[in-house]
Amino acid sequence: MAQQFEDRFHRKFYYLRLSVTDVCNFKCTYCLPDGYKPSGQKNSSFLSVPEIKRVVKAFADCGTSKIRITGGEPSLRKDFPEIIHTVASTPGIEKVATTTNGYRMEKQVGQWRDAGLTHINVSVDSLDSRMFHQITGENKFTEVMRGIDKAFEVGFEQVKVNVVLMKDLNSQELPAFLNWIKDKPIQLRFIELMKTGEMDELFDKHHVSGVAIRNQLIANGWLLKVKAVNDGPAQVFVHPDYKGEIGLIMPYEKDFCESCNRLRVSATGKLHLCLFGDHGVELRDLIQEDQQEQELIDRIQAQLQTKSVSHFLHDGNSGMTPNLASIGG
């Protein structure tokens, strides 16, 4: 193995979030409220399977063991099962995850599992079908829920469900969510609304801290679970009376970035050291031939030495991220 990817703050990077498309077919209020608008590039400009293979191999050779395939909505790519297989068959990769809006799960999740997908996250921002429609812009609640059931049918032991917390929209649904996971192996992940370039007004109106939920969980006997080295940023809580788990992702909390273990590559081949960084670093010129791998590794390693100790969200600086679909959230 080449040298482990590590920054100047001695953070090691075991986890890559790899976007394969910017395109999404939902219109979530906190991400793409007006729907996906092409930037002028063609879909063919997104990373090809051979390019994906080279990116993943370089990361795996430098200690990355978990890849999350993101978007946009990754399942909109017709070659999505091939992408999963390519990632899963890379030596050193132990976890292959995806984050999806669930729209195609009922019909396709079996193919994804057969291709090598080991973990799955689905966005379900409300258990009320009308509120789900209001938040996502799509009346697909029933289809998404059937997709989650199908994931269990085809052999997934756990499904993670992402919920973006929003005051006056879904922040009062905790009892309903808790009831839902009492007998289901679902890890609910409550994610604080984050300020991005296009979402200042929404943030000011709907942001709510996850601290109140954490305090409520602790008061009711939920216990913090120990993290694995390639786990994401969620603080995960378990309870002996529940099959499900609760995760909290609170990027505004002090020291949130201290345990950062993940990097991002966009659908057009740019390395992003942080979701809220100021720029992306071009990698695409170094993923055209297999023999370029060492150059690719050297460029990534050099850029890691410029990674900041923290994001600057507290200063109102969300970097260059216009919306969460742009580099995979």
Side-chain angles (χ1 to χ4, degrees):
M1 186 179 83
Q3 185 180 358
Q4 169 80 49
F5 281 146
E6 183 176 341
D7 70 6
R8 59 201 164 118
F9 304 105
H10 306 296
R11 294 176 294 194
K12 293 181 169 65
F13 297 91
Y14 300 98
Y15 176 9
L16 172 66
R17 296 180 64 97
L18 176 65
S19 179
V20 296
T21 181
D22 291 348
V23 183
C24 188
N25 55 334
F26 277 27
K27 306 180 190 70
C28 297
T29 53
Y30 52 82
C31 188
L32 292 172
D34 299 321
Y36 172 72
K37 289 184 168 54
S39 61
Q41 64 196 17
K42 297 178 181 176
N43 287 355
S44 59
S45 69
F46 296 138
L47 291 172
S48 67
V49 172
E51 288 174 322
I52 288 169
K53 183 176 183 177
R54 294 181 189 113
V55 168
V56 172
K57 184 177 185 304
F59 272 85
D61 286 346
C62 292
T64 295
S65 57
K66 176 181 176 180
I67 306 284
R68 178 172 297 282
I69 305 166
T70 68
E73 171 49 44
S75 69
L76 292 178
R77 280 193 57 156
K78 292 177 181 175
D79 57 357
F80 186 47
E82 185 183 357
I83 291 170
I84 294 170
H85 176 73
T86 297
V87 174
S89 59
T90 303
I93 300 302
E94 299 165 2
K95 292 183 179 179
V96 184
T98 195
T99 299
T100 174
N101 59 29
Y103 177 70
R104 296 189 167 186
M105 275 179 62
E106 186 181 9
K107 292 181 180 176
Q108 297 182 0
V109 72
Q111 295 174 42
W112 305 347
R113 183 161 176 81
D114 290 344
L117 194 71
T118 61
H119 294 74
I120 192 162
N121 288 44
V122 190
S123 296
V124 182
D125 292 306
S126 177
L127 293 178
D128 179 285
S129 60
R130 290 166 299 180
M131 182 57 69
F132 180 94
H133 189 181
Q134 181 179 331
I135 293 172
T136 65
E138 294 291 333
N139 189 19
K140 301 292 182 186
F141 175 76
T142 302
E143 290 90 331
V144 172
M145 297 300 275
R146 285 202 302 256
I148 292 172
D149 290 339
K150 188 69 175 180
F152 288 123
E153 280 179 36
V154 302
F156 284 93
E157 293 180 5
Q158 184 187 64
V159 174
K160 293 181 179 179
V161 170
N162 294 345
V163 183
V164 176
L165 277 175
M166 289 181 285
K167 185 168 58 182
D168 301 326
L169 291 177
N170 63 5
S171 58
Q172 306 307 312
E173 289 192 46
L174 182 60
F177 276 115
L178 286 174
N179 186 57
W180 184 42
I181 68 165
K182 189 162 180 62
D183 299 309
K184 289 180 184 286
I186 288 172
Q187 185 187 106
L188 272 178
R189 298 156 64 82
F190 291 110
I191 304 169
E192 280 189 16
L193 188 64
M194 291 172 257
K195 183 178 284 193
T196 58
E198 297 174 356
M199 298 295 155
D200 287 5
E201 188 178 334
L202 183 87
F203 178 87
D204 293 339
K205 187 176 180 182
H206 293 296
H207 177 260
V208 57
S209 170
V211 172
I213 289 180
R214 181 174 62 191
N215 292 343
Q216 195 174 335
L217 292 174
I218 292 170
N220 285 289
W222 290 78
L223 301 171
L224 187 63
K225 188 176 175 180
V226 177
K227 279 188 181 187
V229 294
N230 59 9
D231 279 347
Q235 298 175 32
V236 178
F237 292 83
V238 295
H239 193 289
D241 296 337
Y242 286 78
K243 272 193 178 179
E245 302 173 342
I246 300 283
L248 296 173
I249 298 177
M250 301 185 290
Y252 292 89
E253 186 163 62
K254 186 177 180 291
D255 299 329
F256 176 79
C257 299
E258 201 171 78
S259 60
C260 183
N261 63 353
R262 59 207 169 278
L263 297 169
R264 292 170 168 81
V265 171
S266 75
T268 55
K270 284 187 167 62
L271 172 71
H272 292 268
L273 302 176
C274 176
L275 176 58
F276 299 106
D278 288 324
H279 66 285
V281 178
E282 187 61 66
L283 299 182
R284 205 158 195 177
D285 58 310
L286 295 181
I287 53 175
Q288 300 310 305
E289 304 289 343
D290 292 350
Q291 58 266 33
Q292 293 177 294
E293 181 174 330
Q294 190 56 53
E295 284 182 87
L296 175 62
I297 289 171
D298 290 345
R299 183 177 293 176
I300 295 168
Q301 194 66 268
Q303 289 300 319
L304 277 175
Q305 305 320 304
T306 71
K307 182 172 166 67
S308 299
V309 68
S310 173
H311 59 57
F312 298 100
L313 289 175
H314 296 97
D315 302 327
N317 180 359
S318 59
M320 64 169 285
T321 304
N323 56 65
L324 296 176
S326 63
I327 58 170

